Amino acid sequence: MNKVIETIYAHRSVRSFTKEQLTEEQIKTLVKAAQSAATSSYLQAYSIIGVKDQDKKNRLAEIAGNQSYVAENGHFFVFCADLNRLKVAGDMEGKESITSIESTEKFMVSVVDASLAAQNLVLAAESMGLGICYIGGIRNDSEAVSDLLKLPDHVIPLYGVCVGYPERTPGQKPRLPMESVYFEDEYEQNPEVLKQHLENYNETISTYYKERTNGKRSAGWTALMAEKLANPVRLYMKRFLQKKGFPLK
Amino acid sequence: MNKVIETIYAHRSVRSFTKEQLTEEQIKTLVKAAQSAATSSYLQAYSIIGVKDQDKKNRLAEIAGNQSYVAENGHFFVFCADLNRLKVAGDMEGKESITSIESTEKFMVSVVDASLAAQNLVLAAESMGLGICYIGGIRNDSEAVSDLLKLPDHVIPLYGVCVGYPERTPGQKPRLPMESVYFEDEYEQNPEVLKQHLENYNETISTYYKERTNGKRSAGWTALMAEKLANPVRLYMKRFLQKKGFPLK
């Protein structure tokens, strides 16, 4: 196994960092890694906001559901879907761009572009001995985050990434069995087969939690997921997107 | 610079592969890399279809706009946003899940989850000496791709990834200047500053194309982008998503 695959396999979400801040050089190394990712049709439809201001970090931590590591880390990046830069490009050339920009297709492209970049940044960080944690919790109030970071129309925050020196290195959570995720030539057509995989996975997860909690917790994956799904979150998202110039036409 | 960052910085899209096929072991190594990525709330909301059937690969190449490397490569992966597995989990537990599954929020999560996984797979492949190319062109007809791969409701194809041994290694295209993509504490508030960055970048890109085409091509980035945006593509996407159980509520 080479160093890259080793780094990829070793991923875990770190939720406790020392006070040491990333240097400017480290930040540049990471942003360059992000920018090295593939991008759909050369659009590069994302931006990254590095948050240094402690008041802003505290506010982001609060929005994310009082996750202290959002305020306390080596650096906090917010990844944004950005179609504003492309709007500016169209305007500079005197060309109409709004039909493209307002399309569901370009929204998808911007989310994909941002996420390929983010994962590059994350792996670069992990290869440098840093820990990371994605923070979807900033979408608890995307409008407040937009205001805080002064995002213009056609730019929305997707998630944060905490980066820093790990204070504790947590364990890894077992992933779905490969046969639940990877299929050849066609999707699994028999729902009973999918269910059987998930039942096997429930055993794995249940054992995992029992061992880590001295038997106090033993839910399987489907129970955890069903519980989450039964409590829908962030149902304001469509309204927010429309307001910010992403009508998903 | 360590091996991981070296691999990340060395990325280019490879569009010409030898006939050598990936081994089962290589495919497993890559899918495991994909699965090692972070996932929002443990949802793991994606699936990957590995396409081996040559007729299917030929059809995908045609859909992608007659891109021969979609048919001829070492392996072809299709990354899908997958909320079907979560629907099954909810059903197994007798819980209502449809409000979550139909939300714009969960659609975003599934696109992000798939893309973090895809970028892990891509970097693992590149670290093994393989070349890759993302194929957004399969979205030229997402419905045909869905039918071909027999994707159920709540599963949609996002993009393909060709993987294989490079026959030719192309150059790298210069990325946006870092100051156009990375901001601190707030988004750049002055549109004139953004424009100035893009004008500088136009110079870079124009020079890049002139050198590669003996002066035949010299468009800047904003001209290329404006041209693309003025010709909107895949405006059927919203209808397709609705039909496949992603009403983006």
Side-chain angles (χ1 to χ4, degrees):
Chain A
M1 188 160 37
N2 67 47
K3 283 283 170 197
V4 177
I5 295 175
E6 231 171 72
T7 303
I8 289 172
Y9 286 2
H11 166 72
R12 51 260 286 158
S13 292
V14 172
R15 294 188 171 83
S16 169
F17 301 95
T18 72
K19 289 193 187 308
E20 193 172 344
Q21 298 301 295
L22 267 59
T23 64
E24 288 304 312
E25 201 189 328
Q26 284 176 316
I27 293 169
K28 280 187 184 163
T29 300
L30 295 179
V31 175
K32 186 175 167 188
Q35 290 196 259
S36 300
T39 160
S40 176
S41 302
Y42 213 11
L43 295 172
Q44 306 173 76
Y46 65 94
S47 284
I48 309 168
I49 316 284
V51 187
K52 283 191 165 169
D53 180 283
Q54 194 58 50
D55 289 341
K56 289 196 181 189
K57 287 175 80 165
N58 294 344
R59 179 75 185 109
L60 289 167
E62 193 184 9
I63 291 168
N66 296 309
Q67 298 185 40
S68 61
Y69 40 98
V70 174
E72 292 151 23
N73 49 53
H75 200 63
F76 191 73
F77 296 95
V78 177
F79 279 80
C80 304
D82 185 344
L83 298 175
N84 172 60
R85 192 188 302 113
L86 289 161
K87 174 91 173 50
V88 170
D91 292 349
M92 281 167 72
E93 302 288 338
K95 296 228 175 167
E96 198 269 348
S97 61
I98 203 71
T99 307
S100 281
I101 282 170
E102 293 191 336
S103 67
T104 300
E105 158 71 13
K106 283 293 177 287
F107 171 68
M108 287 166 71
V109 161
S110 65
V111 176
V112 172
D113 269 14
S115 301
L116 304 186
Q119 188 58 12
N120 261 12
L121 181 143
V122 155
L123 286 170
E126 291 177 328
S127 78
M128 291 156 68
L130 297 160
I132 74 97
C133 189
Y134 279 96
I135 307 294
I138 65 166
R139 290 197 308 280
N140 288 339
D141 191 345
S142 295
E143 186 153 4
V145 175
S146 275
D147 291 347
L148 195 70
L149 306 179
K150 301 192 183 169
L151 305 182
D153 281 355
H154 309 297
V155 183
I156 50 156
L158 294 174
Y159 39 79
V161 179
C162 307
V163 181
Y165 291 92
E167 200 155 58
R168 284 186 298 279
T169 303
Q172 286 186 299
K173 280 199 285 189
R175 295 297 191 245
L176 281 162
M178 199 175 282
E179 62 267 30
S180 296
V181 168
Y182 180 71
F183 308 107
E184 280 188 347
D185 289 322
E186 61 180 50
Y187 197 90
E188 174 59 55
Q189 296 303 301
N190 185 348
E192 293 310 313
V193 172
L194 285 177
K195 278 185 199 166
Q196 187 56 55
H197 293 162
L198 296 185
E199 273 163 18
N200 299 344
Y201 187 45
N202 280 341
E203 292 288 322
T204 309
I205 296 302
S206 180
T207 306
Y208 166 82
Y209 281 123
K210 269 187 218 155
E211 281 172 2
R212 288 169 59 96
T213 61
N214 284 323
K216 278 181 206 150
R217 202 175 152 186
S218 65
W221 185 78
T222 57
L224 286 171
M225 293 303 114
E227 186 64 31
K228 274 187 205 295
L229 296 167
N231 296 288
V233 292
R234 305 170 191 157
L235 296 178
Y236 75 91
M237 193 56 73
K238 183 185 190 170
R239 273 195 323 276
F240 168 71
L241 292 179
Q242 281 175 330
K243 193 172 160 185
K244 287 295 279 183
F246 290 83
L248 307 189
K249 282 185 186 167
Chain B
M1 188 161 38
N2 68 47
K3 283 282 170 200
V4 176
I5 294 175
E6 231 171 72
T7 303
I8 288 172
Y9 286 1
H11 167 72
R12 52 259 288 156
S13 292
V14 171
R15 293 188 171 84
S16 171
F17 301 95
T18 72
K19 291 194 186 307
E20 192 172 345
Q21 298 300 295
L22 266 59
T23 64
E24 288 304 311
E25 200 189 329
Q26 284 176 316
I27 293 169
K28 280 189 185 163
T29 300
L30 295 179
V31 175
K32 187 175 167 188
Q35 290 196 260
S36 301
T39 161
S40 176
S41 301
Y42 214 10
L43 295 172
Q44 307 173 74
Y46 64 94
S47 283
I48 309 169
I49 317 284
V51 187
K52 284 191 165 168
D53 181 284
Q54 193 57 49
D55 289 340
K56 290 196 181 189
K57 288 176 81 166
N58 293 344
R59 179 75 184 109
L60 289 168
E62 193 184 6
I63 290 167
N66 296 310
Q67 298 185 40
S68 61
Y69 40 98
V70 174
E72 293 152 21
N73 49 52
H75 201 63
F76 192 73
F77 296 96
V78 176
F79 280 80
C80 304
D82 186 344
L83 298 175
N84 171 60
R85 193 189 300 114
L86 289 161
K87 174 90 172 51
V88 170
D91 292 350
M92 282 168 73
E93 301 290 335
K95 295 228 174 167
E96 198 270 347
S97 61
I98 203 70
T99 307
S100 282
I101 281 170
E102 293 191 337
S103 67
T104 300
E105 159 70 13
K106 283 292 177 288
F107 171 68
M108 288 167 71
V109 161
S110 65
V111 176
V112 172
D113 269 15
S115 302
L116 304 185
Q119 189 56 15
N120 262 12
L121 181 143
V122 155
L123 286 170
E126 291 177 328
S127 78
M128 291 156 69
L130 297 160
I132 75 98
C133 189
Y134 279 97
I135 307 293
I138 65 165
R139 291 197 307 280
N140 289 339
D141 192 344
S142 295
E143 185 152 3
V145 175
S146 275
D147 291 347
L148 195 70
L149 306 179
K150 302 193 184 171
L151 305 182
D153 281 355
H154 310 297
V155 182
I156 50 156
L158 293 173
Y159 39 80
V161 179
C162 306
V163 181
Y165 291 91
E167 201 156 57
R168 284 186 297 280
T169 304
Q172 286 186 299
K173 279 199 285 190
R175 294 298 192 246
L176 282 162
M178 200 176 282
E179 61 266 30
S180 295
V181 168
Y182 180 70
F183 308 107
E184 279 189 349
D185 289 323
E186 61 181 50
Y187 197 91
E188 174 58 56
Q189 295 302 300
N190 185 348
E192 294 309 315
V193 172
L194 286 177
K195 278 184 198 164
Q196 188 55 57
H197 293 162
L198 295 185
E199 274 162 18
N200 299 344
Y201 186 46
N202 280 340
E203 291 289 323
T204 310
I205 297 302
S206 181
T207 306
Y208 167 84
Y209 281 124
K210 270 187 219 155
E211 282 172 0
R212 288 168 61 95
T213 62
N214 285 321
K216 278 182 207 150
R217 202 174 152 186
S218 65
W221 185 78
T222 57
L224 288 171
M225 294 303 114
E227 187 63 32
K228 273 186 206 295
L229 296 167
N231 296 288
V233 293
R234 304 168 192 158
L235 296 178
Y236 74 91
M237 192 56 73
K238 184 185 189 168
R239 274 196 323 276
F240 168 71
L241 293 179
Q242 280 174 330
K243 193 171 161 186
K244 287 296 280 185
F246 289 82
L248 307 188
K249 282 185 187 167

